[in-house]
């Protein structure tokens, strides 16, 4: 299937999930995750009407930028962890950072955004499982982190993001999605702007929508399986 066909299918599934949940389709943003795929594939999705994209590495975004950053109305979200030494580049290349989890990174990103005369929308990534590899702030540390990030002038904290442990059965992700929504509801009492919930991927976005997701991050269902980089390329990326 072509990217246009895949997009149509994913959009139809989002519509159906919204209907089932009694939600408005407009309230769920589809973020097309184009990481690892070449810029031409992204342009193909753009030509099929897609406007919001997710990339997980600053460096990869930088290399694709000449081909895609100038497309009218296009929007790029950083959905991978942000390193402190890349905050300047990230503020320049992205329209939103959905993975903030540390104060130091937030402070640097805010300063970079102010220098660029930008106010950057950000989400705080919450780690809801005990998996070693997962990135994000522990739920118990979220209130304290929000208290220090919310006043930063270069950032606008808009919500929360999470990545549950991978499981073939999408129902296994439901408790994590529900937990994130409950956290958002609790935090929104203090920070009313905290409305967004970035949760749900190719395998489980329907469940995420049922649990209140406002942004689903879909890669494989739109672009197909991600090409595996050659080993040398992998090593180089690991160092980047
Ligand atoms: C890669 C990635 C996705 C997309 O995953 P698919 O299963 O291909 O839809 C979503 N979110 C994050 C944070 C990712 O890194």
């Amino acid at each position: 299937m072509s990217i246009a066909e895949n997009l149509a299918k994913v959009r139809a599934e989002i519509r159906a999930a919204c209907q089932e949940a009694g939600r408005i389709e407009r309230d769920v943003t589809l973020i097309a995750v184009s990481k690892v795929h070449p810029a031409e594939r992204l342009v193909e999705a753009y030509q099929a009407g897609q406007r919001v994209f997710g990339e997980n590495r600053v460096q990869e975004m930088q290399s694709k930028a000449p081909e895609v950053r100038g497309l009218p109305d296009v929007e790029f979200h950083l959905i991978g962890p942000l390193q402190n030494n890349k905050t300047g580049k990230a503020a320049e290349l992205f329209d939103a950072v959905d993975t903030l989890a540390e104060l130091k990174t937030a402070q640097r990103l805010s300063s970079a955004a102010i220098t660029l005369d930008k106010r950057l929308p950000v989400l705080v990534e919450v780690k809801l499982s005990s998996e070693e590899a997962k990135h994000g702030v522990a739920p118990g540390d979220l209130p304290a982190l929000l208290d220090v990030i919310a006043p930063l002038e270069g950032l606008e904290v808009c919500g929360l993001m999470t990545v549950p442990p991978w499981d073939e059965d999408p129902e296994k992700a439901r408790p994590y999605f529900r937990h994130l929504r409950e956290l958002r509801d609790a935090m929104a009492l203090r920070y009313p702007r905290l409305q967004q919930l970035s949760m749900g991927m190719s395998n489980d976005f329907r469940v995420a929508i049922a649990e209140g997701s406002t942004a689903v991050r879909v890669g494989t269902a739109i672009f197909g399986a991600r090409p595996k980089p050659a080993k040398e390329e992998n090593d180089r990326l690991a160092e980047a």
Side-chain angles (χ1 to χ4, degrees), residues 109-137:
L109 190 64
S110 174
S111 306
I114 291 168
T115 307
L116 294 164
D117 221 5
K118 267 190 178 179
R119 186 137 197 235
L120 202 60
V122 297
L123 305 180
V124 174
E125 183 172 358
V126 186
K127 181 180 144 131
L128 297 174
S129 68
S130 51
E131 283 177 297
E132 276 292 321
K134 286 273 150 55
H135 172 257
V137 62

Side-chain angles (χ1 to χ4, degrees), residues 43-69:
V43 172
E44 211 178 315
Y46 179 88
Q47 283 162 348
Q50 182 62 27
R51 290 295 177 268
V52 187
F53 293 87
E55 285 283 341
N56 70 331
R57 310 182 74 99
V58 175
Q59 215 131 336
E60 188 176 338
M61 183 71 233
Q62 198 170 1
S63 69
K64 288 177 182 172
E67 283 165 87
V68 300
R69 206 38 287 199

